[in-house]
Amino acid sequence: DDNSEEQSKYFKRCRDVMATLVKQYPESDFTDQAYFYAGEAEYALGARDQALSWYKKLIATAELKISPFRSDALYSMGVCYE
């Protein structure tokens, strides 16, 4: 239906914006949020493997070890594996 098509466009746009932020500004204070929300957008689109990839990037980035989004990413990874 139209609503799910609109939601799909929204989540794709969100993912693309977050990916652009990480690529263009890798040292940004918002990198952790970009990784996390790109993962959330992928999950909402039904792309669990891609969502896991974004969450894993957040977890693996040494500079983000103290990010408040780290625990959320770990939880979301668990949900992806369900």
Side-chain angles (χ1 to χ4, degrees):
D1 70 8
D2 288 339
N3 192 35
S4 63
E5 189 175 314
E6 285 299 314
Q7 285 182 341
S8 180
K9 286 180 187 177
Y10 171 80
F11 288 121
K12 287 177 182 177
R13 177 76 174 129
C14 175
R15 177 208 50 215
D16 294 346
V17 168
M18 296 302 113
T20 299
L21 188 148
V22 169
K23 185 176 182 180
Q24 291 184 354
Y25 306 101
E27 304 297 321
S28 168
D29 290 340
F30 302 103
T31 302
D32 57 344
Q33 294 175 52
Y35 282 139
F36 179 74
Y37 287 117
E40 292 291 278
E42 292 285 18
Y43 183 84
L45 291 165
R48 289 184 180 199
D49 288 343
Q50 290 88 342
L52 283 167
S53 176
W54 285 107
Y55 300 138
K56 287 177 181 178
K57 287 176 186 177
L58 192 162
I59 301 302
T61 304
E63 296 82 12
L64 302 177
K65 294 288 185 202
I66 60 170
S67 168
F69 285 87
R70 187 175 168 77
S71 60
D72 293 328
L74 288 167
Y75 175 82
S76 294
M77 287 174 68
V79 171
C80 285
Y81 286 120
E82 286 186 329

XYZ file of all heavy atoms in Angstrom:
667
model
N 0.819 -1.194 0.000
C 0.000 0.000 0.000
C 0.858 1.250 0.000
O 2.065 1.174 0.118
C -1.009 -0.037 1.141
C -0.410 0.105 2.534
O 0.793 0.393 2.643
O -1.142 -0.082 3.511
N 0.231 2.416 -0.119
C 0.969 3.677 -0.218
C 1.772 3.979 1.031
O 2.882 4.506 0.958
C 0.009 4.837 -0.492
C -0.539 4.808 -1.910
O 0.104 4.171 -2.766
O -1.597 5.401 -2.148
N 1.223 3.636 2.196
C 1.906 3.929 3.447
C 3.211 3.152 3.566
O 4.236 3.706 3.952
C 0.989 3.643 4.639
C 1.548 4.200 5.927
O 2.180 5.258 5.931
N 1.339 3.494 7.014
N 3.184 1.868 3.234
C 4.406 1.070 3.347
C 5.440 1.509 2.307
O 6.637 1.468 2.560
C 4.106 -0.423 3.221
O 3.582 -0.727 1.956
N 4.964 1.960 1.157
C 5.886 2.477 0.142
C 6.551 3.762 0.628
O 7.750 3.956 0.447
C 5.133 2.729 -1.169
C 6.042 3.057 -2.329
C 5.286 3.175 -3.641
O 4.455 2.297 -3.914
O 5.543 4.147 -4.360
N 5.777 4.614 1.278
C 6.321 5.853 1.842
C 7.322 5.553 2.956
O 8.362 6.185 3.053
C 5.206 6.760 2.363
C 4.441 7.466 1.278
C 5.317 8.389 0.443
O 6.119 9.152 1.006
O 5.192 8.326 -0.793
N 6.981 4.587 3.802
C 7.899 4.205 4.876
C 9.199 3.657 4.304
O 10.280 3.969 4.795
C 7.251 3.168 5.794
C 6.215 3.744 6.711
C 5.630 2.702 7.640
O 5.722 1.499 7.393
N 5.012 3.154 8.710
N 9.093 2.852 3.275
C 10.278 2.294 2.640
C 11.170 3.399 2.095
O 12.385 3.389 2.292
C 9.868 1.333 1.517
O 10.999 0.799 0.895
N 10.582 4.392 1.444
C 11.347 5.534 0.934
C 12.025 6.281 2.078
O 13.177 6.694 1.968
C 10.429 6.489 0.166
C 10.005 5.995 -1.188
C 9.109 7.032 -1.859
C 8.526 6.518 -3.143
N 7.596 7.491 -3.750
N 11.295 6.463 3.167
C 11.825 7.168 4.332
C 13.044 6.439 4.900
O 14.076 7.049 5.155
C 10.736 7.306 5.396
C 11.238 7.835 6.711
C 11.448 9.196 6.896
C 11.519 6.974 7.765
C 11.926 9.689 8.090
C 11.999 7.456 8.967
C 12.196 8.808 9.132
O 12.682 9.286 10.319
N 12.932 5.118 5.087
C 14.034 4.361 5.664
C 15.228 4.287 4.720
O 16.383 4.330 5.163
C 13.579 2.959 6.082
C 12.702 2.975 7.302
C 11.412 2.470 7.255
C 13.153 3.495 8.503
C 10.598 2.481 8.382
C 12.355 3.522 9.634
C 11.068 3.017 9.567
N 14.986 4.201 3.433
C 16.091 4.216 2.469
C 16.808 5.556 2.501
O 18.039 5.608 2.464
C 15.584 3.919 1.058
C 15.195 2.473 0.860
C 14.621 2.228 -0.523
C 14.198 0.777 -0.664
N 13.561 0.513 -1.965
N 16.047 6.617 2.585
C 16.637 7.957 2.653
C 17.451 8.115 3.935
O 18.557 8.661 3.927
C 15.527 9.019 2.573
C 16.022 10.435 2.706
C 16.676 10.917 1.436
N 17.012 12.326 1.577
C 18.208 12.810 1.312
N 19.157 12.037 0.846
N 18.461 14.078 1.485
N 16.903 7.645 5.032
C 17.611 7.690 6.315
C 18.942 6.954 6.211
O 19.982 7.480 6.590
C 16.740 7.073 7.408
S 17.563 6.943 8.999
N 18.904 5.733 5.686
C 20.129 4.949 5.529
C 21.142 5.686 4.671
O 22.323 5.760 5.003
C 19.787 3.606 4.903
C 21.012 2.744 4.640
C 20.834 1.791 3.486
N 20.328 2.449 2.299
C 19.498 1.867 1.446
N 19.057 0.641 1.648
N 19.086 2.513 0.374
N 20.685 6.255 3.569
C 21.588 6.953 2.654
C 22.212 8.188 3.297
O 23.403 8.458 3.119
C 20.852 7.340 1.375
C 20.421 6.135 0.556
O 20.906 5.008 0.817
O 19.575 6.320 -0.344
N 21.419 8.928 4.054
C 21.940 10.118 4.736
C 22.977 9.723 5.785
O 24.046 10.342 5.888
C 20.796 10.946 5.368
C 21.333 12.005 6.320
C 19.942 11.574 4.280
N 22.699 8.668 6.538
C 23.639 8.213 7.565
C 24.938 7.709 6.924
O 26.033 7.993 7.412
C 23.024 7.113 8.426
C 21.815 7.538 9.253
S 22.133 8.897 10.394
C 21.129 10.179 9.681
N 24.820 6.989 5.818
C 26.009 6.493 5.113
C 26.849 7.660 4.587
O 28.084 7.628 4.666
C 25.595 5.570 3.971
N 26.197 8.678 4.084
C 26.898 9.863 3.592
C 27.609 10.578 4.736
O 28.763 10.995 4.590
C 25.918 10.823 2.890
O 25.343 10.146 1.769
C 26.612 12.086 2.418
N 26.949 10.704 5.869
C 27.557 11.361 7.022
C 28.843 10.636 7.426
O 29.882 11.278 7.615
C 26.584 11.395 8.202
C 27.039 12.215 9.398
C 25.834 12.817 10.086
C 27.833 11.397 10.386
N 28.775 9.316 7.524
C 29.947 8.532 7.935
C 31.081 8.655 6.910
O 32.251 8.774 7.280
C 29.559 7.056 8.149
C 30.773 6.180 8.320
C 28.639 6.924 9.344
N 30.717 8.647 5.637
C 31.733 8.710 4.581
C 32.394 10.088 4.508
O 33.615 10.186 4.406
C 31.093 8.359 3.234
C 32.069 8.278 2.101
C 31.389 7.826 0.827
C 32.405 7.703 -0.296
N 31.788 7.260 -1.549
N 31.576 11.134 4.564
C 32.113 12.479 4.401
C 32.709 13.065 5.683
O 33.581 13.928 5.616
C 31.035 13.416 3.865
C 30.651 13.097 2.436
C 29.640 14.083 1.866
O 29.119 14.953 2.549
N 29.349 13.929 0.585
N 32.218 12.595 6.838
C 32.682 13.141 8.112
C 32.987 12.006 9.093
O 32.326 11.878 10.127
C 31.614 14.070 8.707
C 31.183 15.162 7.763
C 29.994 15.056 7.042
C 31.967 16.296 7.574
C 29.592 16.053 6.157
C 31.575 17.300 6.697
C 30.394 17.163 5.995
O 30.000 18.145 5.120
N 33.979 11.192 8.798
C 34.251 10.022 9.652
C 34.653 10.371 11.084
O 34.514 9.539 11.980
C 35.377 9.294 8.915
C 36.006 10.327 8.047
C 34.915 11.293 7.693
N 35.097 11.583 11.313
C 35.500 12.008 12.658
C 34.388 12.768 13.377
O 34.606 13.325 14.449
C 36.756 12.887 12.569
C 37.936 12.240 11.871
C 38.444 11.006 12.593
O 38.474 11.002 13.831
O 38.803 10.033 11.894
N 33.208 12.781 12.822
C 32.085 13.523 13.388
C 31.692 12.997 14.769
O 31.856 11.815 15.072
C 30.871 13.401 12.453
O 29.698 13.854 13.082
N 31.156 13.882 15.573
C 30.622 13.478 16.876
C 29.364 12.630 16.727
O 28.872 12.081 17.711
C 30.293 14.716 17.721
C 31.532 15.460 18.180
O 32.632 14.869 18.187
O 31.396 16.641 18.541
N 28.843 12.540 15.529
C 27.600 11.813 15.292
C 27.803 10.479 14.572
O 26.836 9.844 14.155
C 26.630 12.690 14.487
C 26.322 13.983 15.174
C 26.909 15.157 14.759
C 25.465 14.011 16.269
C 26.647 16.358 15.407
C 25.191 15.198 16.923
C 25.780 16.368 16.486
N 29.045 10.051 14.434
C 29.332 8.802 13.722
C 28.637 7.612 14.368
O 28.069 6.765 13.675
C 30.860 8.559 13.656
O 31.462 9.669 13.000
C 31.182 7.296 12.891
N 28.652 7.549 15.694
C 28.007 6.420 16.373
C 26.511 6.383 16.081
O 25.943 5.325 15.788
C 28.268 6.442 17.874
C 27.830 7.725 18.567
O 27.585 8.746 17.886
O 27.756 7.719 19.814
N 25.893 7.556 16.116
C 24.463 7.630 15.817
C 24.188 7.262 14.362
O 23.190 6.589 14.065
C 23.937 9.035 16.105
C 23.979 9.377 17.577
C 23.571 10.814 17.836
O 22.520 11.230 17.380
N 24.397 11.546 18.559
N 25.065 7.689 13.469
C 24.887 7.377 12.054
C 24.953 5.872 11.825
O 24.110 5.309 11.114
C 25.944 8.095 11.216
N 25.941 5.203 12.415
C 26.034 3.746 12.290
C 24.779 3.076 12.849
O 24.209 2.194 12.223
C 27.249 3.204 13.046
C 28.572 3.379 12.356
C 29.701 3.753 13.077
C 28.727 3.142 11.007
C 30.933 3.893 12.460
C 29.957 3.285 10.388
C 31.059 3.658 11.118
O 32.270 3.788 10.506
N 24.371 3.499 14.028
C 23.226 2.862 14.668
C 21.948 3.059 13.862
O 21.218 2.105 13.578
C 23.034 3.383 16.097
C 21.860 2.758 16.775
C 21.919 1.445 17.216
C 20.685 3.458 16.944
C 20.821 0.845 17.823
C 19.580 2.867 17.544
C 19.650 1.562 17.985
N 21.666 4.289 13.467
C 20.408 4.548 12.769
C 20.407 4.020 11.336
O 19.344 3.682 10.801
C 20.031 6.020 12.847
C 19.569 6.376 14.238
C 20.256 7.284 15.018
C 18.450 5.756 14.791
C 19.846 7.588 16.312
C 18.027 6.054 16.085
C 18.727 6.966 16.832
O 18.321 7.252 18.114
N 21.577 3.906 10.721
C 21.641 3.232 9.418
C 21.257 1.769 9.603
O 20.516 1.200 8.796
C 23.035 3.355 8.813
N 21.735 1.163 10.688
C 21.356 -0.214 11.001
C 19.877 -0.349 11.267
O 19.223 -1.286 10.790
N 19.316 0.587 12.001
C 17.883 0.555 12.287
C 17.058 0.686 11.001
O 16.044 0.006 10.833
C 17.512 1.684 13.253
C 18.077 1.521 14.648
C 17.436 0.378 15.409
O 16.349 0.564 15.966
O 18.036 -0.719 15.431
N 17.515 1.549 10.104
C 16.803 1.727 8.834
C 16.867 0.440 8.009
O 15.857 0.012 7.439
C 17.404 2.895 8.053
N 18.036 -0.181 7.960
C 18.168 -1.440 7.218
C 17.263 -2.514 7.821
O 16.607 -3.264 7.100
C 19.616 -1.930 7.219
C 20.571 -1.064 6.439
C 20.462 -1.202 4.935
O 19.447 -1.707 4.409
O 21.419 -0.780 4.258
N 17.231 -2.582 9.139
C 16.375 -3.576 9.798
C 14.905 -3.328 9.436
O 14.170 -4.263 9.134
C 16.573 -3.541 11.312
C 15.757 -4.587 12.018
C 16.233 -5.889 12.133
C 14.512 -4.293 12.548
C 15.479 -6.872 12.755
C 13.750 -5.262 13.177
C 14.240 -6.555 13.281
O 13.493 -7.523 13.887
N 14.496 -2.069 9.460
C 13.113 -1.722 9.120
C 12.778 -2.095 7.680
O 11.629 -2.399 7.361
C 12.870 -0.230 9.350
N 13.797 -2.097 6.820
C 13.609 -2.479 5.421
C 13.655 -3.993 5.223
O 13.492 -4.490 4.113
C 14.676 -1.811 4.546
C 14.539 -0.298 4.402
C 15.813 0.307 3.832
C 13.341 0.039 3.524
N 13.923 -4.726 6.305
C 13.990 -6.178 6.219
C 15.355 -6.708 5.819
O 15.514 -7.885 5.512
N 16.358 -5.838 5.833
C 17.715 -6.207 5.422
C 18.571 -6.478 6.662
O 19.404 -5.658 7.049
C 18.313 -5.103 4.557
N 18.344 -7.623 7.280
C 19.031 -7.922 8.549
C 20.542 -7.999 8.411
O 21.274 -7.539 9.287
C 18.483 -9.214 9.143
C 17.085 -9.062 9.676
C 16.604 -10.311 10.342
N 15.249 -10.098 10.835
C 14.691 -10.845 11.752
N 15.336 -11.861 12.272
N 13.463 -10.581 12.151
N 21.032 -8.607 7.337
C 22.484 -8.712 7.162
C 23.137 -7.332 7.056
O 24.194 -7.097 7.632
C 22.828 -9.546 5.926
C 22.544 -11.026 6.125
O 22.389 -11.467 7.288
O 22.474 -11.746 5.112
N 22.492 -6.437 6.329
C 23.031 -5.084 6.215
C 22.930 -4.346 7.544
O 23.831 -3.592 7.906
C 22.297 -4.300 5.113
C 22.609 -4.781 3.719
C 21.681 -5.909 3.252
O 21.021 -6.569 4.049
N 21.638 -6.141 1.953
N 21.846 -4.572 8.268
C 21.705 -3.955 9.592
C 22.841 -4.418 10.500
O 23.483 -3.608 11.176
C 20.355 -4.303 10.207
N 23.096 -5.717 10.495
C 24.191 -6.260 11.311
C 25.523 -5.620 10.946
O 26.337 -5.317 11.823
C 24.281 -7.779 11.137
C 23.246 -8.586 11.896
C 23.227 -10.033 11.391
C 23.514 -8.549 13.388
N 25.737 -5.402 9.678
C 26.985 -4.784 9.226
C 27.164 -3.396 9.833
O 28.253 -3.050 10.311
C 26.981 -4.702 7.698
O 28.124 -4.043 7.237
N 26.101 -2.601 9.865
C 26.190 -1.259 10.462
C 26.435 -1.338 11.963
O 27.264 -0.609 12.503
C 24.914 -0.466 10.183
C 24.824 0.016 8.773
C 24.011 -0.459 7.784
C 25.577 1.071 8.182
N 24.220 0.233 6.622
C 25.167 1.192 6.842
C 26.549 1.943 8.657
C 25.709 2.135 5.970
C 27.073 2.891 7.788
C 26.657 2.976 6.472
N 25.710 -2.223 12.652
C 25.902 -2.357 14.098
C 27.330 -2.807 14.409
O 27.960 -2.310 15.339
C 24.909 -3.361 14.696
C 23.451 -3.005 14.509
C 22.525 -3.984 14.169
C 22.988 -1.710 14.681
C 21.173 -3.686 14.000
C 21.643 -1.393 14.511
C 20.743 -2.390 14.171
O 19.418 -2.086 14.006
N 27.837 -3.736 13.624
C 29.200 -4.249 13.850
C 30.243 -3.157 13.633
O 31.266 -3.133 14.327
C 29.474 -5.443 12.939
C 28.732 -6.691 13.372
C 28.977 -7.841 12.405
C 28.214 -9.086 12.829
N 28.413 -10.197 11.880
N 30.005 -2.262 12.691
C 30.939 -1.149 12.474
C 31.005 -0.263 13.716
O 32.079 0.170 14.112
C 30.523 -0.323 11.256
C 30.781 -1.025 9.944
C 30.266 -0.202 8.785
C 30.404 -0.987 7.485
N 29.852 -0.252 6.335
N 29.852 -0.011 14.312
C 29.826 0.792 15.528
C 30.618 0.090 16.630
O 31.464 0.695 17.282
C 28.375 1.031 15.972
C 28.139 2.082 17.050
C 26.685 2.496 17.058
C 28.544 1.666 18.432
N 30.362 -1.192 16.825
C 31.029 -1.966 17.874
C 32.538 -2.052 17.644
O 33.323 -1.979 18.581
C 30.423 -3.387 17.962
C 28.928 -3.346 18.261
C 31.160 -4.246 18.980
C 28.550 -2.635 19.523
N 32.941 -2.194 16.387
C 34.357 -2.416 16.064
C 35.202 -1.147 16.050
O 36.431 -1.225 16.087
C 34.464 -3.103 14.708
N 34.581 0.003 16.005
C 35.326 1.264 15.924
C 35.847 1.649 17.302
O 35.071 1.948 18.214
C 34.433 2.382 15.336
O 33.948 1.956 14.067
C 35.203 3.672 15.182
N 37.159 1.627 17.441
C 37.799 1.862 18.743
C 37.391 3.192 19.365
O 37.163 3.269 20.575
C 39.321 1.797 18.588
N 37.267 4.214 18.545
C 36.917 5.539 19.059
C 35.498 5.597 19.622
O 35.160 6.546 20.316
C 37.064 6.607 17.959
C 38.483 6.802 17.456
C 38.887 5.760 16.405
O 38.015 5.027 15.908
O 40.089 5.682 16.110
N 34.704 4.598 19.333
C 33.305 4.600 19.778
C 33.050 3.642 20.941
O 31.900 3.357 21.270
C 32.385 4.256 18.596
C 32.498 5.186 17.386
C 31.595 4.707 16.260
C 32.171 6.622 17.771
N 34.106 3.171 21.583
C 33.960 2.200 22.679
C 33.132 2.739 23.841
O 32.522 1.975 24.573
C 35.330 1.744 23.205
C 36.131 0.953 22.204
C 35.568 -0.428 22.005
C 36.488 -1.209 21.086
N 35.865 -2.308 20.416
N 33.097 4.060 24.003
C 32.326 4.639 25.113
C 30.991 5.224 24.651
O 30.301 5.888 25.419
C 33.143 5.710 25.861
C 33.534 6.853 24.928
C 34.367 5.090 26.531
C 34.121 8.054 25.632
N 30.624 4.956 23.408
C 29.374 5.494 22.863
C 28.167 4.937 23.610
O 28.071 3.740 23.865
C 29.236 5.121 21.385
O 27.917 5.386 20.938
N 27.208 5.802 23.926
C 25.969 5.316 24.542
C 25.146 4.453 23.578
O 24.242 3.739 24.003
C 25.222 6.595 24.924
C 25.808 7.662 24.079
C 27.225 7.253 23.798
N 25.477 4.497 22.290
C 24.764 3.677 21.306
C 25.326 2.258 21.210
O 24.744 1.402 20.550
C 24.795 4.341 19.926
C 23.863 5.505 19.824
C 24.273 6.768 20.196
C 22.564 5.330 19.391
C 23.410 7.842 20.133
C 21.685 6.397 19.315
C 22.109 7.660 19.695
N 26.434 2.020 21.861
C 27.080 0.698 21.820
C 26.154 -0.394 22.367
O 25.970 -1.428 21.732
C 28.383 0.754 22.603
C 29.220 -0.474 22.493
C 30.554 -0.237 23.225
N 31.271 -1.473 23.392
C 31.950 -2.085 22.450
N 32.009 -1.567 21.242
N 32.571 -3.216 22.680
N 25.562 -0.170 23.522
C 24.679 -1.183 24.107
C 23.427 -1.378 23.253
O 22.935 -2.496 23.105
C 24.304 -0.829 25.550
O 23.641 0.412 25.595
N 22.934 -0.301 22.657
C 21.777 -0.411 21.762
C 22.128 -1.240 20.527
O 21.316 -2.050 20.062
C 21.292 0.971 21.327
C 20.717 1.784 22.468
O 20.137 1.182 23.400
O 20.841 3.020 22.431
N 23.327 -1.041 20.014
C 23.765 -1.809 18.844
C 23.894 -3.288 19.191
O 23.488 -4.153 18.405
C 25.082 -1.260 18.314
N 24.435 -3.586 20.354
C 24.554 -4.985 20.779
C 23.181 -5.631 20.924
O 22.966 -6.763 20.478
C 25.329 -5.076 22.095
C 26.825 -4.787 21.994
C 27.419 -4.592 23.383
C 27.543 -5.903 21.245
N 22.252 -4.909 21.515
C 20.890 -5.423 21.652
C 20.261 -5.655 20.271
O 19.665 -6.699 20.010
C 20.036 -4.452 22.470
C 18.590 -4.887 22.538
C 18.182 -5.834 23.457
C 17.647 -4.363 21.670
C 16.862 -6.253 23.512
C 16.326 -4.770 21.720
C 15.952 -5.708 22.636
O 14.632 -6.123 22.674
N 20.409 -4.666 19.392
C 19.826 -4.767 18.053
C 20.440 -5.925 17.260
O 19.752 -6.567 16.472
C 20.005 -3.452 17.297
O 19.245 -2.433 17.915
N 21.718 -6.185 17.490
C 22.343 -7.344 16.848
C 21.656 -8.626 17.297
O 21.369 -9.511 16.484
C 23.841 -7.390 17.166
C 24.647 -6.350 16.442
S 26.382 -6.314 16.970
C 26.931 -7.888 16.318
N 21.373 -8.724 18.581
C 20.672 -9.888 19.098
C 19.305 -10.057 18.470
O 18.894 -11.166 18.123
N 18.603 -8.943 18.284
C 17.280 -8.999 17.649
C 17.421 -9.492 16.201
O 16.601 -10.289 15.743
C 16.603 -7.604 17.693
C 15.342 -7.592 16.849
C 16.298 -7.210 19.139
N 18.461 -9.057 15.518
C 18.675 -9.503 14.133
C 18.900 -11.005 14.055
O 18.523 -11.645 13.072
C 19.877 -8.801 13.524
S 19.581 -7.078 13.058
N 19.530 -11.564 15.076
C 19.829 -13.000 15.070
C 18.640 -13.858 15.475
O 18.699 -15.075 15.366
C 21.016 -13.306 15.984
C 22.345 -12.875 15.409
C 23.146 -11.964 16.071
C 22.794 -13.377 14.200
C 24.361 -11.569 15.558
C 24.009 -12.988 13.673
C 24.798 -12.089 14.352
O 25.999 -11.706 13.825
N 17.546 -13.245 15.937
C 16.365 -14.010 16.334
C 15.767 -14.730 15.142
O 15.738 -14.281 14.054
C 15.284 -13.107 16.934
C 15.612 -12.650 18.300
C 14.474 -11.871 18.932
O 13.709 -11.202 18.235
O 14.365 -11.945 20.170
